[in-house]
Amino acid sequence: MTEAREPAGPNGGTHARRAPGTPCWVSLMVHELTATEDFYGALFGWEFRPGPQQLGSYVRALLDGQEVAGIGQLPPDRRLPIAWTPYLASDDVDRTADTLRLCGGTVGVGPLDAGRAGRMAMASDPSGAVFGIWQAAQHLGTEVVGVPGTPVWNELLTFETASVAKFYETVFGYEEEAAVSDDFGHVTLRIGGHPVADIHGVGHSLPRDRGSHWLTYFEVADTDGTLDRVLAMGGRVLTPAQDGAHGRVATVADPEGALFAVVQNPR
């Protein structure tokens, strides 16, 4: 994980149109929307309000009145993996979708309008990892970062980095920075010199039941206390808390199985 923070206001707030390729939003589709709201509301202090009706049963999570994430309900007959999904900013989602297809990716949903909020598509890279593409109109994305309860980083876990990094570089114009890592590689994606995401090759450690996937990190005030709350509310701790260069980090799953990481940044 390589930490990257957007410029923040006096209360940690930031809300501006993101450069193409910048992670700008995270969303989760679940089977039990009310129960999921209860879980994340208790864990992160989120409140919820309805989102665009074009997306079905969908709510936006708010922290102190500012939007930080979206949660929607899957149709009863859709048995898809439950996962947090990052959205990457685009100035033209239709053009990005076309480029993505030419580079070996797949567009599974859209492009389509999400009311007056913007235009979106759901896609997967050649390794199968799912992500969203967001062309902002009224909704620019996450409105606050740098405080507990907000998404702070996104990392792609995949078998190896070389081919998939080339895909993202071509589609979104990233600059790559290779890091010293294991045999499968570790690449930081940058825009204008600033780190925005990681690609981490983990080889055969990649879970067979999940495959390549994006992992979202949420900032917390106390990693160990957060893990206690996750367990108390029916979630699971997958990777125990450990201290690293960017803070105290752990990986967990919510009651429906959605993976995410929590990080307590050193002050």
PDB file of all heavy atoms in Angstrom, residues 14 25 44 46 54 82 92 95-96 108 115 117 143 145 180 211 224 230 238 241 244 249-250 263 265:
ATOM      1  N   THR A  14     -12.714  17.352   0.867  1.00  0.00           N
ATOM      2  CA  THR A  14     -12.219  17.654  -0.462  1.00  0.00           C
ATOM      3  C   THR A  14     -13.294  17.257  -1.461  1.00  0.00           C
ATOM      4  O   THR A  14     -13.919  16.222  -1.315  1.00  0.00           O
ATOM      5  CB  THR A  14     -10.903  16.919  -0.782  1.00  0.00           C
ATOM      6  OG1 THR A  14     -10.518  17.223  -2.118  1.00  0.00           O
ATOM      7  CG2 THR A  14     -11.038  15.421  -0.648  1.00  0.00           C
ATOM      8  N   TRP A  25     -14.760   7.016  -6.307  1.00  0.00           N
ATOM      9  CA  TRP A  25     -15.960   6.535  -5.625  1.00  0.00           C
ATOM     10  C   TRP A  25     -15.789   5.048  -5.359  1.00  0.00           C
ATOM     11  O   TRP A  25     -15.013   4.372  -6.070  1.00  0.00           O
ATOM     12  CB  TRP A  25     -17.184   6.778  -6.511  1.00  0.00           C
ATOM     13  CG  TRP A  25     -18.538   6.483  -5.922  1.00  0.00           C
ATOM     14  CD1 TRP A  25     -19.416   5.507  -6.311  1.00  0.00           C
ATOM     15  CD2 TRP A  25     -19.200   7.197  -4.871  1.00  0.00           C
ATOM     16  NE1 TRP A  25     -20.568   5.572  -5.570  1.00  0.00           N
ATOM     17  CE2 TRP A  25     -20.471   6.590  -4.672  1.00  0.00           C
ATOM     18  CE3 TRP A  25     -18.838   8.281  -4.066  1.00  0.00           C
ATOM     19  CZ2 TRP A  25     -21.369   7.047  -3.717  1.00  0.00           C
ATOM     20  CZ3 TRP A  25     -19.731   8.734  -3.109  1.00  0.00           C
ATOM     21  CH2 TRP A  25     -20.981   8.122  -2.946  1.00  0.00           C
ATOM     22  N   PHE A  44     -18.503   2.601  10.822  1.00  0.00           N
ATOM     23  CA  PHE A  44     -17.861   3.828  10.365  1.00  0.00           C
ATOM     24  C   PHE A  44     -18.620   5.100  10.741  1.00  0.00           C
ATOM     25  O   PHE A  44     -18.159   6.201  10.435  1.00  0.00           O
ATOM     26  CB  PHE A  44     -17.705   3.798   8.840  1.00  0.00           C
ATOM     27  CG  PHE A  44     -16.738   2.762   8.334  1.00  0.00           C
ATOM     28  CD1 PHE A  44     -17.018   2.050   7.161  1.00  0.00           C
ATOM     29  CD2 PHE A  44     -15.546   2.507   8.993  1.00  0.00           C
ATOM     30  CE1 PHE A  44     -16.122   1.103   6.669  1.00  0.00           C
ATOM     31  CE2 PHE A  44     -14.648   1.558   8.506  1.00  0.00           C
ATOM     32  CZ  PHE A  44     -14.936   0.856   7.349  1.00  0.00           C
ATOM     33  N   TRP A  46     -21.554   5.901   9.474  1.00  0.00           N
ATOM     34  CA  TRP A  46     -22.243   6.388   8.277  1.00  0.00           C
ATOM     35  C   TRP A  46     -23.742   6.520   8.508  1.00  0.00           C
ATOM     36  O   TRP A  46     -24.355   5.752   9.250  1.00  0.00           O
ATOM     37  CB  TRP A  46     -22.039   5.423   7.113  1.00  0.00           C
ATOM     38  CG  TRP A  46     -20.650   5.373   6.560  1.00  0.00           C
ATOM     39  CD1 TRP A  46     -19.611   6.213   6.854  1.00  0.00           C
ATOM     40  CD2 TRP A  46     -20.140   4.418   5.611  1.00  0.00           C
ATOM     41  NE1 TRP A  46     -18.493   5.848   6.151  1.00  0.00           N
ATOM     42  CE2 TRP A  46     -18.786   4.755   5.377  1.00  0.00           C
ATOM     43  CE3 TRP A  46     -20.699   3.336   4.944  1.00  0.00           C
ATOM     44  CZ2 TRP A  46     -17.983   4.030   4.498  1.00  0.00           C
ATOM     45  CZ3 TRP A  46     -19.904   2.608   4.067  1.00  0.00           C
ATOM     46  CH2 TRP A  46     -18.560   2.953   3.844  1.00  0.00           C
ATOM     47  N   GLN A  54     -32.415   5.221 -11.005  1.00  0.00           N
ATOM     48  CA  GLN A  54     -32.044   4.392 -12.148  1.00  0.00           C
ATOM     49  C   GLN A  54     -31.201   3.193 -11.731  1.00  0.00           C
ATOM     50  O   GLN A  54     -31.088   2.216 -12.461  1.00  0.00           O
ATOM     51  CB  GLN A  54     -31.273   5.222 -13.188  1.00  0.00           C
ATOM     52  CG  GLN A  54     -32.117   6.258 -13.898  1.00  0.00           C
ATOM     53  CD  GLN A  54     -32.171   7.568 -13.116  1.00  0.00           C
ATOM     54  OE1 GLN A  54     -31.801   7.622 -11.954  1.00  0.00           O
ATOM     55  NE2 GLN A  54     -32.621   8.616 -13.775  1.00  0.00           N
ATOM     56  N   ILE A  82     -19.952 -10.688  -3.698  1.00  0.00           N
ATOM     57  CA  ILE A  82     -20.187  -9.425  -2.984  1.00  0.00           C
ATOM     58  C   ILE A  82     -18.838  -8.751  -2.782  1.00  0.00           C
ATOM     59  O   ILE A  82     -17.948  -9.311  -2.135  1.00  0.00           O
ATOM     60  CB  ILE A  82     -20.870  -9.682  -1.629  1.00  0.00           C
ATOM     61  CG1 ILE A  82     -22.131 -10.540  -1.815  1.00  0.00           C
ATOM     62  CG2 ILE A  82     -21.205  -8.362  -0.953  1.00  0.00           C
ATOM     63  CD1 ILE A  82     -23.182  -9.924  -2.688  1.00  0.00           C
ATOM     64  N   ASP A  92     -14.991  10.856 -20.518  1.00  0.00           N
ATOM     65  CA  ASP A  92     -15.898  10.344 -21.548  1.00  0.00           C
ATOM     66  C   ASP A  92     -15.995   8.832 -21.352  1.00  0.00           C
ATOM     67  O   ASP A  92     -15.145   8.077 -21.836  1.00  0.00           O
ATOM     68  CB  ASP A  92     -15.364  10.688 -22.937  1.00  0.00           C
ATOM     69  CG  ASP A  92     -16.317  10.301 -24.064  1.00  0.00           C
ATOM     70  OD1 ASP A  92     -17.144   9.381 -23.859  1.00  0.00           O
ATOM     71  OD2 ASP A  92     -16.225  10.890 -25.151  1.00  0.00           O
ATOM     72  N   ARG A  95     -16.038   6.576 -24.543  1.00  0.00           N
ATOM     73  CA  ARG A  95     -14.735   6.421 -25.196  1.00  0.00           C
ATOM     74  C   ARG A  95     -13.825   5.508 -24.370  1.00  0.00           C
ATOM     75  O   ARG A  95     -13.107   4.663 -24.918  1.00  0.00           O
ATOM     76  CB  ARG A  95     -14.076   7.787 -25.380  1.00  0.00           C
ATOM     77  CG  ARG A  95     -12.751   7.733 -26.143  1.00  0.00           C
ATOM     78  CD  ARG A  95     -12.232   9.134 -26.406  1.00  0.00           C
ATOM     79  NE  ARG A  95     -12.033   9.862 -25.156  1.00  0.00           N
ATOM     80  CZ  ARG A  95     -11.832  11.179 -25.094  1.00  0.00           C
ATOM     81  NH1 ARG A  95     -11.856  11.907 -26.199  1.00  0.00           N
ATOM     82  NH2 ARG A  95     -11.638  11.767 -23.930  1.00  0.00           N
ATOM     83  N   THR A  96     -13.861   5.675 -23.041  1.00  0.00           N
ATOM     84  CA  THR A  96     -13.057   4.811 -22.177  1.00  0.00           C
ATOM     85  C   THR A  96     -13.476   3.355 -22.333  1.00  0.00           C
ATOM     86  O   THR A  96     -12.636   2.444 -22.388  1.00  0.00           O
ATOM     87  CB  THR A  96     -13.192   5.244 -20.704  1.00  0.00           C
ATOM     88  OG1 THR A  96     -12.724   6.591 -20.568  1.00  0.00           O
ATOM     89  CG2 THR A  96     -12.388   4.336 -19.789  1.00  0.00           C
ATOM     90  N   GLY A 108     -19.364  -4.945 -18.672  1.00  0.00           N
ATOM     91  CA  GLY A 108     -20.487  -5.786 -18.261  1.00  0.00           C
ATOM     92  C   GLY A 108     -21.793  -5.041 -18.130  1.00  0.00           C
ATOM     93  O   GLY A 108     -22.868  -5.608 -18.346  1.00  0.00           O
ATOM     94  N   GLY A 115     -29.146   9.133 -13.794  1.00  0.00           N
ATOM     95  CA  GLY A 115     -29.872  10.371 -13.568  1.00  0.00           C
ATOM     96  C   GLY A 115     -29.007  11.569 -13.921  1.00  0.00           C
ATOM     97  O   GLY A 115     -28.242  11.550 -14.889  1.00  0.00           O
ATOM     98  N   ALA A 117     -26.707  12.565 -11.937  1.00  0.00           N
ATOM     99  CA  ALA A 117     -25.458  12.417 -11.195  1.00  0.00           C
ATOM    100  C   ALA A 117     -24.259  12.267 -12.115  1.00  0.00           C
ATOM    101  O   ALA A 117     -23.185  12.821 -11.871  1.00  0.00           O
ATOM    102  CB  ALA A 117     -25.551  11.215 -10.258  1.00  0.00           C
ATOM    103  N   GLU A 143     -16.840  12.885  -1.242  1.00  0.00           N
ATOM    104  CA  GLU A 143     -16.761  14.304  -0.900  1.00  0.00           C
ATOM    105  C   GLU A 143     -15.775  14.612   0.218  1.00  0.00           C
ATOM    106  O   GLU A 143     -15.477  15.778   0.461  1.00  0.00           O
ATOM    107  CB  GLU A 143     -18.154  14.813  -0.501  1.00  0.00           C
ATOM    108  CG  GLU A 143     -19.142  14.813  -1.644  1.00  0.00           C
ATOM    109  CD  GLU A 143     -20.518  15.316  -1.246  1.00  0.00           C
ATOM    110  OE1 GLU A 143     -20.841  15.286  -0.039  1.00  0.00           O
ATOM    111  OE2 GLU A 143     -21.267  15.734  -2.146  1.00  0.00           O
ATOM    112  N   VAL A 145     -12.121  12.986   2.367  1.00  0.00           N
ATOM    113  CA  VAL A 145     -11.101  11.963   2.592  1.00  0.00           C
ATOM    114  C   VAL A 145     -10.235  12.416   3.750  1.00  0.00           C
ATOM    115  O   VAL A 145     -10.338  13.546   4.232  1.00  0.00           O
ATOM    116  CB  VAL A 145     -10.219  11.735   1.335  1.00  0.00           C
ATOM    117  CG1 VAL A 145     -11.041  11.223   0.174  1.00  0.00           C
ATOM    118  CG2 VAL A 145      -9.478  13.018   0.945  1.00  0.00           C
ATOM    119  N   VAL A 180      10.173  -2.515  -5.241  1.00  0.00           N
ATOM    120  CA  VAL A 180      10.869  -3.741  -4.875  1.00  0.00           C
ATOM    121  C   VAL A 180       9.864  -4.669  -4.212  1.00  0.00           C
ATOM    122  O   VAL A 180       9.202  -4.299  -3.246  1.00  0.00           O
ATOM    123  CB  VAL A 180      12.041  -3.444  -3.926  1.00  0.00           C
ATOM    124  CG1 VAL A 180      12.701  -4.737  -3.482  1.00  0.00           C
ATOM    125  CG2 VAL A 180      13.046  -2.522  -4.597  1.00  0.00           C
ATOM    126  N   GLY A 211     -10.374 -14.834  -7.319  1.00  0.00           N
ATOM    127  CA  GLY A 211      -9.583 -14.386  -8.457  1.00  0.00           C
ATOM    128  C   GLY A 211      -9.050 -12.973  -8.253  1.00  0.00           C
ATOM    129  O   GLY A 211      -9.035 -12.441  -7.139  1.00  0.00           O
ATOM    130  N   ASP A 224      -7.424  -1.912  15.962  1.00  0.00           N
ATOM    131  CA  ASP A 224      -7.765  -3.032  16.842  1.00  0.00           C
ATOM    132  C   ASP A 224      -9.204  -2.935  17.349  1.00  0.00           C
ATOM    133  O   ASP A 224      -9.931  -3.935  17.389  1.00  0.00           O
ATOM    134  CB  ASP A 224      -6.777  -3.097  18.009  1.00  0.00           C
ATOM    135  CG  ASP A 224      -5.358  -3.374  17.527  1.00  0.00           C
ATOM    136  OD1 ASP A 224      -5.014  -4.554  17.358  1.00  0.00           O
ATOM    137  OD2 ASP A 224      -4.617  -2.402  17.301  1.00  0.00           O
ATOM    138  N   VAL A 230     -16.043  -5.388  14.114  1.00  0.00           N
ATOM    139  CA  VAL A 230     -16.338  -6.254  12.960  1.00  0.00           C
ATOM    140  C   VAL A 230     -16.781  -7.630  13.439  1.00  0.00           C
ATOM    141  O   VAL A 230     -17.801  -8.180  12.982  1.00  0.00           O
ATOM    142  CB  VAL A 230     -15.109  -6.368  12.036  1.00  0.00           C
ATOM    143  CG1 VAL A 230     -15.292  -7.503  11.026  1.00  0.00           C
ATOM    144  CG2 VAL A 230     -14.871  -5.059  11.291  1.00  0.00           C
ATOM    145  N   LEU A 238      -9.708 -11.413   8.342  1.00  0.00           N
ATOM    146  CA  LEU A 238      -8.974 -12.292   7.436  1.00  0.00           C
ATOM    147  C   LEU A 238      -7.469 -12.167   7.605  1.00  0.00           C
ATOM    148  O   LEU A 238      -6.742 -13.150   7.499  1.00  0.00           O
ATOM    149  CB  LEU A 238      -9.365 -11.989   5.992  1.00  0.00           C
ATOM    150  CG  LEU A 238     -10.860 -12.079   5.688  1.00  0.00           C
ATOM    151  CD1 LEU A 238     -11.123 -11.755   4.228  1.00  0.00           C
ATOM    152  CD2 LEU A 238     -11.413 -13.452   6.022  1.00  0.00           C
ATOM    153  N   ALA A 241      -4.314  -7.447  12.458  1.00  0.00           N
ATOM    154  CA  ALA A 241      -3.683  -6.129  12.414  1.00  0.00           C
ATOM    155  C   ALA A 241      -2.171  -6.249  12.493  1.00  0.00           C
ATOM    156  O   ALA A 241      -1.631  -7.043  13.277  1.00  0.00           O
ATOM    157  CB  ALA A 241      -4.211  -5.270  13.564  1.00  0.00           C
ATOM    158  N   GLY A 244       2.795  -1.277   9.644  1.00  0.00           N
ATOM    159  CA  GLY A 244       3.583  -1.132   8.439  1.00  0.00           C
ATOM    160  C   GLY A 244       3.993   0.312   8.248  1.00  0.00           C
ATOM    161  O   GLY A 244       3.744   1.171   9.103  1.00  0.00           O
ATOM    162  N   VAL A 249      -2.641  -1.945   9.765  1.00  0.00           N
ATOM    163  CA  VAL A 249      -3.541  -2.398   8.708  1.00  0.00           C
ATOM    164  C   VAL A 249      -4.075  -3.787   9.021  1.00  0.00           C
ATOM    165  O   VAL A 249      -3.386  -4.622   9.606  1.00  0.00           O
ATOM    166  CB  VAL A 249      -2.805  -2.426   7.347  1.00  0.00           C
ATOM    167  CG1 VAL A 249      -3.746  -2.846   6.223  1.00  0.00           C
ATOM    168  CG2 VAL A 249      -2.189  -1.080   7.038  1.00  0.00           C
ATOM    169  N   ALA A 250      -5.323  -4.044   8.625  1.00  0.00           N
ATOM    170  CA  ALA A 250      -5.920  -5.378   8.707  1.00  0.00           C
ATOM    171  C   ALA A 250      -6.900  -5.541   7.563  1.00  0.00           C
ATOM    172  O   ALA A 250      -7.430  -4.549   7.034  1.00  0.00           O
ATOM    173  CB  ALA A 250      -6.620  -5.583  10.044  1.00  0.00           C
ATOM    174  N   VAL A 263      -7.198   0.819   7.887  1.00  0.00           N
ATOM    175  CA  VAL A 263      -5.853   1.309   8.192  1.00  0.00           C
ATOM    176  C   VAL A 263      -5.935   2.482   9.152  1.00  0.00           C
ATOM    177  O   VAL A 263      -6.717   3.419   8.953  1.00  0.00           O
ATOM    178  CB  VAL A 263      -5.092   1.698   6.903  1.00  0.00           C
ATOM    179  CG1 VAL A 263      -5.867   2.716   6.062  1.00  0.00           C
ATOM    180  CG2 VAL A 263      -3.697   2.210   7.227  1.00  0.00           C
ATOM    181  N   ASN A 265      -3.772   5.379  10.300  1.00  0.00           N
ATOM    182  CA  ASN A 265      -2.569   6.050   9.857  1.00  0.00           C
ATOM    183  C   ASN A 265      -1.801   6.632  11.030  1.00  0.00           C
ATOM    184  O   ASN A 265      -2.394   7.166  11.965  1.00  0.00           O
ATOM    185  CB  ASN A 265      -2.920   7.174   8.865  1.00  0.00           C
ATOM    186  CG  ASN A 265      -3.285   6.626   7.498  1.00  0.00           C
ATOM    187  OD1 ASN A 265      -2.439   6.140   6.776  1.00  0.00           O
ATOM    188  ND2 ASN A 265      -4.567   6.681   7.162  1.00  0.00           N
TER     189      ASN A 265
END
